[in-house]
Amino acid sequence: MAKLGEPASSAGAGVGTTPISRARGQAEVVDRIKEHILEQRLAPGDPLPTESELCAAIGASRSSVREAVKTLRALDIVDVRHGHGTYVGRMSLNALVESLAFRGLLSRSDEHRVLEQVIEVRRTLEQGMAAQIIEGLDGRQRENLYDVAREMQDLASRGEDFLEQDRTFHVMLLEPLGNDLVLQLTEAFWDVQRIVTPTLGSVDLDLVTSADAHVAIVDAAAAADPARMHDAIAEHYAPLLARIAALREQ
């Protein structure tokens, strides 16, 4: 790869050795920036080179780099901080959320199959990781889960929704795994479910029952009983899956 500040033609092997022609298009500029991030072993939060340095490093024009950065920003691969520069992004799953949510919002003719699949993935992920969650769960994490679940019970008793607490609970439940990708998937699928669920119409789920189900999940984890936790998770997701099944029979 060309060193930053050197013209691409002077470089040896690397992504900047061959100038990009128009025929290769914008996609290759995007790919070369991603390759540059990997080759330089940049981590989320690390600064990218200046625009001129990046042009020289990957052998692309300023306009091509600017358009590529816009694309990468939309994917959370880069983060543009106005007045400060461009940085490697968190690389979240926002693009996946948007794609699945849009597909789900268009899926009425498919009887809400996308939403059903999202819920099944969430349930399967939590059930499949039950033993590992129990093994990694420490006392502080357990009490934090109880605190959130009890807050949900309190809100439910007043007839108030608890969407924010529900999201927090399910992310915290998987934190003992220490797996960032699992946490991102959990956040992404929860967000898709939140966006698409209103297409079911009036779901009319019992808030108190739902809140109690979250406490039951923590009780099972605290008892170090994976089978019990597996069942508690199934009971938590059962009402919404039943609502979807009922709609499919109409």
Side-chain angles (χ1 to χ4, degrees), residues 3 46 48 117 162 203 248:
K3 294 182 180 179
D46 286 347
L48 284 173
Q117 290 173 340
F162 41 77
V203 178
R248 297 180 70 171

Side-chain angles (χ1 to χ4, degrees), residues 196-208:
V196 179
T197 295
T199 65
L200 296 177
S202 178
V203 178
D204 195 29
L205 298 178
D206 188 317
L207 292 175
V208 173

Side-chain angles (χ1 to χ4, degrees), residues 112-221:
H112 308 288
R113 182 59 180 158
V114 171
L115 178 58
E116 184 179 45
Q117 290 173 340
V118 165
I119 296 170
E120 288 174 348
V121 168
R122 290 188 59 204
R123 181 190 62 189
T124 302
L125 183 62
E126 293 176 356
Q127 289 178 321
M129 297 290 187
Q132 293 95 316
I133 290 171
I134 290 171
E135 182 179 355
L137 191 68
D138 61 32
R140 177 187 58 81
Q141 291 169 323
R142 183 177 61 250
E143 287 308 310
N144 288 341
L145 281 168
Y146 269 129
D147 287 344
V148 176
R150 287 165 183 155
E151 183 180 359
M152 294 165 75
Q153 285 181 314
D154 183 54
L155 290 167
S157 70
R158 302 198 302 268
E160 299 178 23
D161 211 335
F162 41 77
L163 280 175
E164 180 181 343
Q165 291 78 9
D166 185 83
R167 189 181 198 275
T168 298
F169 179 92
H170 288 280
V171 173
M172 289 173 56
L173 182 66
L174 290 161
E175 280 181 349
L177 299 174
N179 188 318
D180 289 339
L181 181 57
V182 168
L183 293 181
Q184 286 193 42
L185 284 171
T186 298
E187 292 172 331
F189 285 123
W190 191 97
D191 289 340
V192 172
Q193 183 177 325
R194 176 188 58 80
I195 293 168
V196 179
T197 295
T199 65
L200 296 177
S202 178
V203 178
D204 195 29
L205 298 178
D206 188 317
L207 292 175
V208 173
T209 299
S210 179
D212 289 346
H214 288 80
V215 174
I217 292 171
V218 190
D219 284 341

Side-chain angles (χ1 to χ4, degrees), residues 32-106:
R32 287 195 177 188
I33 293 177
K34 289 191 289 187
E35 288 173 18
H36 176 82
I37 292 170
L38 293 174
E39 288 186 3
Q40 298 301 312
R41 298 187 177 181
L42 300 179
D46 286 347
L48 284 173
T50 64
E51 186 178 89
S52 59
E53 290 174 333
L54 194 54
C55 289
I58 69 170
S61 68
R62 285 180 180 270
S63 61
S64 295
V65 166
R66 287 172 185 168
E67 289 303 313
V69 166
K70 289 179 182 178
T71 299
L72 293 169
R73 184 182 186 186
L75 298 172
D76 282 343
I77 293 175
V78 304
D79 177 22
V80 179
R81 305 175 192 174
H82 296 292
H84 296 280
T86 303
Y87 298 78
V88 179
R90 180 170 174 257
M91 289 173 276
S92 71
L93 300 178
N94 287 349
L96 174 65
V97 171
E98 292 183 11
S99 176
L100 283 176
F102 186 70
R103 181 181 168 197
L105 292 170
L106 293 177

